[in-house]
Amino acid sequence: MSNDVHPVDEVLPAPRLLALGLQHVLVMYAGAVAVPLIIGRALKLPPEDVAFLISADLFACGLVTLVQCLGFPGVGIRLPVMMGVTFASVGPMLSMAASPDIGLLGIYGSVIAAGLFGIVVAPFVSRLLPLFPPVVTGTIILIIGISLMRVGINWAGGGLPTLTKVVDGVPGSFPNPAYGQLQGLGISLFVLLFILALIKWGSGFLANVAVLLGIIAGAVLASILGVMHFDKVAAASWGALVIPFRFGMPQFHLVPVITMCIVMIVVMIESLGMFLALGEITGKAVDREALSRGLRADGLGTLLGGIFNTFPYTSFSQNVGLVSVTAVRSRWVTVTGGCILLVLGLLPKLAALVEAVPLVVLGGAGLVMFGMVAATGARILASVDFRNNRYNLFIVAISISFGLIPLVAPGFFRNLPHDLHPLLESGILLCAVVSVLLNAFFNGLSGGAAAEADAASAAASAQHV
């Protein structure tokens, strides 16, 4: 037998591990902190609580990355993977956040339930691949991006266009005077142009972290203009533990749990494609047992996310792309990246600094991040055969139409049972259900081998930016 170590298992010198691990962290950082910012501000949490969500997210990112890369009996694919909160869960969670009966504790209950569900169904998910060919996954990712664009646009505008105020005991909506201010729009435009300049004229690593550098440049400009304030940063401690169940015990509601479990299936299908693509990149054979271990780590990571006050986790595809670009295949690089994230999660002052970044700065970056999610869906759909299979056009058209209902007509389902609203008010979930059903109706189901090939192909186009 050969004693040669596979490049995936090679332990590189410590200085190189640290540099390459930090590079992975920087590439994913902007995307990693976006979800806690979105959810925390949608829930109107105090700044210190939003900062805690950021710390909890970074800590859980590191913890789940270690589980996935180091591997434990039955859990972890042991490939160079960086784990982060998936954008696929944002739409449903925003709907839950808008419901006073659910709120943050209801979100955590649904996340924990989805994590347990993911652990149980991990061995069977590969059998669901025929339900999710590129015409389905591309459509779902496209509607995710479109849904998130609303968040990015409102960030660029400086918040929500209207504010809810109680006058004489009656709540009402009033225009937000801070929305659309010229100074804020100028800062958002500056961030957007800065990112585009780096993408155009930067190269290699510089282009890969363009979004993060754009946010930093925007924060510097906002500080100079007196828009960004550091009072909360100065008051934050340098170190603190991430406490499980900090906001209280999770609450479990049937429809949000079902919603998040369906989202979990979509996330795991995407992860499965990532693992297949990563196996090709690293030259490491990925069999069905390895896929089950990787997907089980997604479920365990989501369970840990709910326990540690954060959200569902999946592999970040930009880091998979970084493995391909750098040709460094060692999983110990991402293990190092996971350790860096763990340390960052224990630094409240850093989280407070991120929380202090004005919305208008994040808006310029959000237009790029969320727009790229939509563009990724379009790129996956570009590989779909529309010329010889006219049914695919109907699948995409009708699925997107259903997915846009909650965005363009929020009261469309108001006369249906209240308990169904978290399900019906998620455009992403409506799009997913309709696209799966229409594809099965029009195209039937492909074989397992063809489905795996399609999943790997779609994963090569995926991007979490």
Side-chain angles (χ1 to χ4, degrees):
M1 292 182 61
S2 171
N3 291 323
D4 292 341
V5 176
H6 193 281
V8 165
D9 301 312
E10 182 183 3
V11 180
L12 304 177
R16 194 171 179 217
L17 278 178
L18 187 61
L20 292 170
L22 181 60
Q23 180 175 246
H24 271 282
V25 170
L26 292 175
V27 165
M28 70 173 290
Y29 191 84
V33 301
V35 176
L37 279 170
I38 294 169
I39 302 302
R41 285 172 170 164
L43 287 162
K44 298 181 173 60
L45 295 179
E48 56 270 21
D49 285 344
V50 177
F52 176 81
L53 285 182
I54 294 168
S55 289
D57 177 46
L58 293 173
F59 180 83
C61 279
L63 188 61
V64 180
T65 297
L66 293 180
V67 170
Q68 190 70 275
C69 298
L70 289 176
F72 298 93
V75 182
I77 198 166
R78 301 185 182 96
L79 288 174
V81 175
M82 294 293 289
M83 303 290 287
V85 175
T86 173
F87 282 131
S89 64
V90 173
M93 290 193 297
L94 286 176
S95 297
M96 296 175 201
S99 172
D101 297 332
I102 299 173
L104 186 60
L105 296 180
I107 291 174
Y108 287 147
S110 67
V111 170
I112 289 172
L116 292 170
F117 172 77
I119 293 171
V120 173
V121 303
F124 310 104
V125 167
S126 60
R127 298 178 187 177
L128 297 177
L129 268 181
L131 293 173
F132 293 87
V135 68
V136 172
T137 56
T139 303
I140 294 172
I141 294 173
L142 177 60
I143 207 70
I144 289 171
I146 292 172
S147 299
L148 291 174
M149 284 295 288
R150 178 175 56 177
V151 175
I153 291 169
N154 282 334
W155 277 357
L160 294 174
T162 59
L163 299 174
T164 301
K165 296 181 181 179
V166 178
V167 179
D168 296 330
V170 179
S173 295
F174 299 88
N176 180 0
Y179 191 80
Q181 293 286 341
L182 290 180
Q183 184 185 61
L185 295 178
I187 293 173
S188 293
L189 180 61
F190 168 79
V191 173
L192 177 61
L193 294 177
F194 190 92
I195 293 171
L196 294 178
L198 287 178
I199 293 171
K200 170 72 174 177
W201 291 294
S203 60
F205 176 67
L206 197 62
N208 285 334
V209 295
V211 171
L212 179 62
L213 294 178
I215 293 173
I216 293 172
V220 171
L221 176 61
S223 300
I224 294 171
L225 296 176
V227 178
M228 185 172 176
H229 306 288
F230 299 92
D231 299 346
K232 296 286 193 307
V233 180
S237 61
W238 281 103
L241 296 176
V242 176
I243 304 168
F245 305 125
R246 180 181 185 271
F247 297 97
M249 294 305 294
Q251 298 174 1
F252 299 89
H253 304 274
L254 181 60
V255 173
V257 165
I258 294 173
T259 301
M260 199 59 74
C261 287
I262 295 175
V263 169
M264 192 71 201
I265 292 176
V266 175
V267 168
M268 293 172 82
I269 292 290
E270 183 184 352
S271 288
L272 195 148
M274 293 294 167
F275 298 150
L276 292 171
L278 196 55
E280 292 290 330
I281 292 169
T282 60
K284 183 89 168 181
V286 178
D287 56 20
R288 184 152 290 186
E289 175 57 31
L291 291 174
S292 294
R293 292 199 312 270
L295 295 175
R296 201 173 286 119
D298 275 11
L300 178 60
T302 298
L303 172 61
L304 291 173
I307 292 172
F308 283 99
N309 317 284
T310 181
F311 311 109
Y313 283 87
T314 187
S315 54
F316 261 30
S317 54
Q318 62 264 48
N319 294 92
V320 174
L322 187 60
V323 172
S324 178
V325 169
T326 62
V328 178
R329 295 176 280 175
S330 172
R331 62 189 171 102
W332 294 100
V333 170
T334 50
V335 167
T336 305
C339 293
I340 293 172
L341 286 169
L342 275 175
V343 173
L344 293 178
L346 299 175
L347 302 175
K349 197 171 285 290
L350 176 64
L353 181 62
V354 174
E355 194 282 329
V357 175
L359 283 179
V360 290
V361 173
L362 296 173
L367 293 175
V368 178
M369 287 194 295
F370 306 146
M372 279 298 293
V373 176
T376 295
R379 188 165 62 180
I380 293 174
L381 289 175
S383 66
V384 174
D385 182 5
F386 292 108
R387 183 181 296 275
N388 298 314
N389 185 347
R390 66 189 183 94
Y391 297 136
N392 286 333
L393 284 171
F394 291 100
I395 293 169
V396 175
I398 297 170
S399 300
I400 289 178
S401 296
F402 270 83
L404 287 175
I405 289 174
L407 294 179
V408 301
F412 190 83
F413 295 113
R414 65 183 179 185
N415 291 321
L416 291 176
H418 179 74
D419 287 343
L420 293 176
H421 282 196
L423 173 65
L424 298 174
E425 290 170 5
S426 169
I428 297 166
L429 199 56
L430 280 176
C431 176
V433 172
V434 172
S435 60
V436 167
L437 292 177
L438 287 178
N439 177 69
F441 174 70
F442 282 123
N443 294 330
L445 304 179
S446 59
E452 288 192 7
D454 285 341
S457 175
S461 298
Q463 187 83 322
H464 275 93
V465 191

